[in-house]
Amino acid sequence: MAKANIAQPFNREVQYAAKRRAVIRAAAGAFRRRGYHNTSMVWIAKSLGLSKAALYYYVKSKEEILYECHIMVYDAMDEVVKSVRGKGANGLEKLKRLYGAFAALMTRDGLALLADVDSLKGAFQTEVLGRRGKIERAVTRIVEGGMKDGSIKKADPKITVFFFMGALNWLNVWYEPGGRLSGEIIAETFVTQMSDGIAS
Amino acid sequence: MAKANIAQPFNREVQYAAKRRAVIRAAAGAFRRRGYHNTSMVWIAKSLGLSKAALYYYVKSKEEILYECHIMVYDAMDEVVKSVRGKGANGLEKLKRLYGAFAALMTRDGLALLADVDSLKGAFQTEVLGRRGKIERAVTRIVEGGMKDGSIKKADPKITVFFFMGALNWLNVWYEPGGRLSGEIIAETFVTQMSDGIAS
DNA sequence: CCACTTATTGACTTTGCGGTCGAATTTGTT
DNA sequence: AACAAATTCGACCGCAAAGTCAATAAGTGG
């Protein structure tokens, strides 16, 4: 019980976890802007005021960092999916909430869908692809629901989903925090455009 | 004059050019599927039944291949842009033709928007970014035209354009030639979804 | 202030891959 | 057949960047 009450800044495990997260986040930002292979461990280290060797105190390999980046995003997305359960009058309404929240994740929280899945090997890749599939299936299910309740016009669900999910992914490439276009405006426009594109 | 009439299969320059193109195309396919950095020169060579060294008889560097891949796509897109000049009753109609043709490029001709611009350096990168900007501006101009003539609902043109261009790019990731979903179906659905999303 | 754990480092090793080169082989020409 | 030009190859080099490790500094509890 003693340890449990120590204030966070003086709790070593908490500090370690926080620093580890900082490493992941620093890397995630760099990966998003310049890609996985164009970002070196030295660069990540320097951006945190550390040496490369120190990084390996927090992570096992560069690949593990990339893996964690993906997991971070999918965790957040799972959370969003859970939060729209039961909400919304129909499939389309539910989807609008979901999509808006996804857009917010990208712009507000700096979380980006990474495309470098092929740089992951073995179990890492398998799990990330699994998580991606899970999200896709969840979104597809909502879309199918909307097609059934008549709020979304009938079409192949897969194409429908990948269309607007693709738009989201491309955000990584051109969105710059603090730029002319605020995250709110983007999210709003995206939701409208998505919604009008598929409403019946 | 003598040389000019030689049949193509016996004309060395033509053969050289054809082989060079084959190298670019083989690489383009691999880059699209597994990414630039996950594709080695040895792999490209073997996929053509050659040794790595032979590749360098046709190209100066791996970076040059990536550069040519980009140029190939932008040339095709410029062609599409030119082909819709004057066509279509209004901005939206023009855009639908354009977008459909873009989708066809991706699915039918296997041309893919590469995202690895950051792997290009110096002049290569500058030119590719220039070409990309040119296309974006052309598309944006059409969209703005549509907003003026009332066929497209008013919104920030940049967001509007990036939304549906992003969807196009994401095709690379999931579209598989010969799969359940034909290029025609995809192109058709994409055009509808794009159009309904922005029509006024 | 001492013993011990946690953090961090500089210097080194390893490795995968792009790129080069001279030689060999194939192809085309007279 | 002989020669030249176009192709292709095996073997090698260089380098950037991932990853290791022994040494050390910083922090903590007694």
Side-chain angles (χ1 to χ4, degrees):
Chain A
M1 281 296 111
K3 280 267 173 82
N5 288 341
I6 300 177
Q8 303 235 331
F10 297 101
N11 183 326
R12 281 201 143 138
E13 287 177 35
V14 172
Q15 286 304 300
Y16 178 89
K19 286 181 184 176
R20 193 185 133 97
R21 255 199 318 278
V23 170
I24 312 282
R25 291 193 72 90
F31 291 169
R32 186 174 70 80
R33 283 191 301 276
R34 301 202 313 277
Y36 178 67
H37 291 284
N38 296 316
T39 305
S40 74
M41 290 297 271
V42 174
W43 192 94
I44 298 171
K46 284 219 178 118
S47 81
L48 293 164
L50 290 177
S51 73
K52 177 178 55 160
L55 250 44
Y56 286 88
Y57 184 66
Y58 297 100
V59 295
K60 220 177 89 342
S61 67
K62 188 185 180 187
E63 203 186 338
E64 188 186 84
I65 299 184
L66 181 58
Y67 168 77
E68 295 278 15
C69 289
H70 278 99
I71 294 302
M72 194 185 280
V73 176
Y74 290 124
D75 280 350
M77 291 184 115
D78 282 348
E79 212 54 49
V80 170
V81 168
K82 205 189 295 177
S83 80
V84 301
R85 286 252 164 76
K87 300 273 181 63
N90 54 35
L92 183 60
E93 284 307 314
K94 201 178 287 187
L95 190 63
K96 281 166 77 171
R97 282 165 195 263
L98 185 88
Y99 198 62
F102 279 173
L105 281 186
M106 306 283 147
T107 56
R108 191 188 57 224
D109 305 334
L111 293 178
L113 249 0
L114 286 317
D116 286 295
V117 193
D118 298 285
S119 303
L120 292 170
K121 284 176 273 202
F124 278 154
Q125 188 178 73
T126 309
E127 189 177 334
V128 168
L129 286 179
R131 295 292 298 267
R132 180 201 275 185
K134 194 181 149 195
I135 288 287
E136 274 169 15
R137 259 172 281 128
V139 178
T140 305
R141 225 172 297 127
I142 296 178
V143 168
E144 284 168 343
M147 289 180 181
K148 238 171 217 141
D149 70 30
S151 57
I152 296 177
K153 69 164 162 271
K154 287 191 168 59
D156 187 284
K158 184 171 173 177
I159 305 182
T160 305
V161 168
F162 282 175
F163 179 85
F164 59 69
M165 288 307 276
L168 216 53
N169 273 281
W170 194 239
L171 259 175
N172 302 161
V173 180
W174 61 275
Y175 173 65
E176 36 185 348
R180 175 175 68 87
L181 300 164
S182 76
E184 285 77 29
I185 289 288
I186 293 176
E188 199 191 308
T189 313
F190 267 44
V191 170
T192 314
Q193 211 161 324
M194 180 278 286
S195 164
D196 289 354
I198 66 174
S200 35
Chain B
M1 282 297 110
K3 280 271 174 84
N5 287 343
I6 298 177
Q8 302 235 330
F10 297 102
N11 182 325
R12 280 204 145 132
E13 287 177 36
V14 171
Q15 286 304 301
Y16 179 89
K19 287 181 184 175
R20 192 185 134 97
R21 254 199 317 277
V23 170
I24 312 282
R25 292 193 72 90
F31 291 170
R32 185 174 70 79
R33 283 191 301 277
R34 303 203 311 278
Y36 178 67
H37 290 283
N38 296 317
T39 305
S40 72
M41 289 298 271
V42 174
W43 192 96
I44 299 172
K46 284 218 177 118
S47 82
L48 293 163
L50 290 176
S51 74
K52 178 177 58 164
L55 249 45
Y56 286 87
Y57 183 65
Y58 298 101
V59 294
K60 219 175 92 335
S61 69
K62 189 186 182 187
E63 203 186 338
E64 188 187 83
I65 299 183
L66 181 59
Y67 168 77
E68 295 278 15
C69 289
H70 278 99
I71 294 301
M72 194 184 281
V73 176
Y74 290 124
D75 280 349
M77 292 185 113
D78 282 349
E79 211 56 47
V80 170
V81 168
K82 205 190 293 175
S83 79
V84 300
R85 287 253 164 76
K87 299 271 182 62
N90 54 35
L92 182 60
E93 285 306 316
K94 201 179 288 187
L95 189 63
K96 282 166 76 171
R97 283 165 194 263
L98 185 89
Y99 197 62
F102 279 172
L105 282 185
M106 306 284 146
T107 56
R108 192 187 58 227
D109 305 334
L111 293 178
L113 248 1
L114 287 317
D116 286 294
V117 194
D118 298 285
S119 304
L120 292 170
K121 284 175 269 196
F124 278 153
Q125 188 178 73
T126 309
E127 188 176 335
V128 167
L129 286 178
R131 294 293 297 267
R132 180 201 273 186
K134 194 181 149 194
I135 288 286
E136 274 169 16
R137 259 172 279 128
V139 178
T140 305
R141 226 172 296 125
I142 295 179
V143 168
E144 283 169 343
M147 287 178 182
K148 239 174 214 138
D149 70 31
S151 57
I152 297 176
K153 68 165 164 271
K154 288 191 167 58
D156 187 285
K158 184 172 173 176
I159 304 182
T160 306
V161 168
F162 281 174
F163 179 84
F164 59 70
M165 289 306 277
L168 216 52
N169 273 281
W170 194 238
L171 260 174
N172 303 161
V173 179
W174 60 275
Y175 173 66
E176 34 186 347
R180 177 175 69 87
L181 300 165
S182 75
E184 285 78 29
I185 290 287
I186 295 176
E188 200 190 307
T189 312
F190 267 43
V191 170
T192 313
Q193 210 160 325
M194 180 278 287
S195 164
D196 289 354
I198 66 173
S200 36

